[in-house]
Amino acid sequence: VKSEGPKLVPFFKATCVYFVLWLPTSSPSWFSALIKCLPIFCLWVFLLAHGINFLVSHRSASRILAGLIFSAVGDAFLIWQEQGYFIHGLLMFAITHILYSSAFGMKPLDLKAGLLMGLVSSSCYAFLYSYLSGPFTYLVAVYIALIGFMGWRAVAGVQLCNDLWTWTKLSACIGAMLFMVSDLTIALNKFCFPVPYSRFIIMATYYAAQMLIALSAVESRDEEDSRKRS
């Protein structure tokens, strides 16, 4: 908390600015895009504050930074989703999940967690399927598979039963779960039925998810500091 907390102050301030201004979604503009993306920009700064050498030497951290960059582009596209840019935003976030999955890695494999996430993802798609039409029938399926895979890799890294977890791995796991909640709320609200307080739920879980995933990138720094102390 002492080492990472101060670096997150700009993120919390930017998030407060978004919720205080609460710009109407009916009139998209570059200003509203900036306000929406500002917390993600602050997470770029949070990672960059650890040093360029740190990001270059630790692939997981650099991939999470790349994921945050694609997320910001996706956020901007979704500002104009009613003007036909929803698929563009979907593509940007699909790339984000691929980068996050790569950052979390494939070890440990944890097939039980994979089966569980596969079941959850399949159930979500089965529910959405009857509401989908055209290219969304396939695009949503691919997207759910990607975010489900990302969730699997985040959950697999925790290993609570073996007492091998760290706070950064736990933050990645919780962040991935919140990201799935945010995206599921988007899907329900867009394709199925109006979700009460959908915008608040989507953005609150989204910002929290991105912050926690960004925090997981300092795992390598923790290991590096431990080696230096020893």
Side-chain angles (χ1 to χ4, degrees), residues 132-180:
L132 302 173
S133 60
F136 285 115
T137 304
Y138 311 102
L139 292 174
V140 171
V142 173
Y143 186 85
I144 288 177
L146 289 174
I147 194 172
F149 184 82
M150 185 272 290
W152 169 32
R153 298 322 309 147
V155 171
V158 178
Q159 298 188 77
L160 288 173
C161 297
N162 298 329
D163 199 27
L164 296 175
W165 63 277
T166 61
W167 71 268
T168 46
K169 290 185 182 296
L170 185 61
S171 70
C173 176
I174 298 172
M177 296 301 100
L178 288 174
F179 217 135
M180 294 178 73

Side-chain angles (χ1 to χ4, degrees), residues 40-133:
I40 307 303
F41 295 158
C42 292
L43 292 178
W44 297 4
V45 175
F46 166 74
L47 290 180
L48 290 169
H50 290 84
I52 298 297
N53 290 336
F54 170 72
L55 293 172
V56 171
S57 59
H58 297 92
R59 292 183 178 180
S60 60
S62 59
R63 288 168 183 171
I64 288 176
L65 176 60
L68 288 168
I69 292 172
F70 277 99
S71 293
V73 177
D75 282 332
F77 276 129
L78 291 181
I79 286 287
W80 286 277
Q81 61 177 292
E82 299 301 327
Q83 285 73 36
Y85 288 96
F86 181 80
I87 292 179
H88 298 73
L90 198 68
L91 176 61
M92 293 299 104
F93 280 107
I95 296 172
T96 294
H97 296 317
I98 293 172
L99 288 165
Y100 286 169
S101 299
S102 178
F104 299 149
M106 290 301 296
K107 293 180 181 180
L109 193 60
D110 197 348
L111 292 176
K112 290 183 179 179
L115 289 173
L116 177 61
M117 293 307 302
L119 179 62
V120 171
S121 299
S122 299
S123 299
C124 290
Y125 182 69
F127 179 83
L128 292 169
Y129 181 77
S130 60
Y131 295 94
L132 302 173
S133 60

Side-chain angles (χ1 to χ4, degrees), residues 9 20 22-23 33 39 51 54 107 131 161 178 215 220:
V9 170
V20 168
W22 203 243
L23 297 172
F54 170 72
K107 293 180 181 180
Y131 295 94
C161 297
L178 288 174
L215 273 171
S220 302

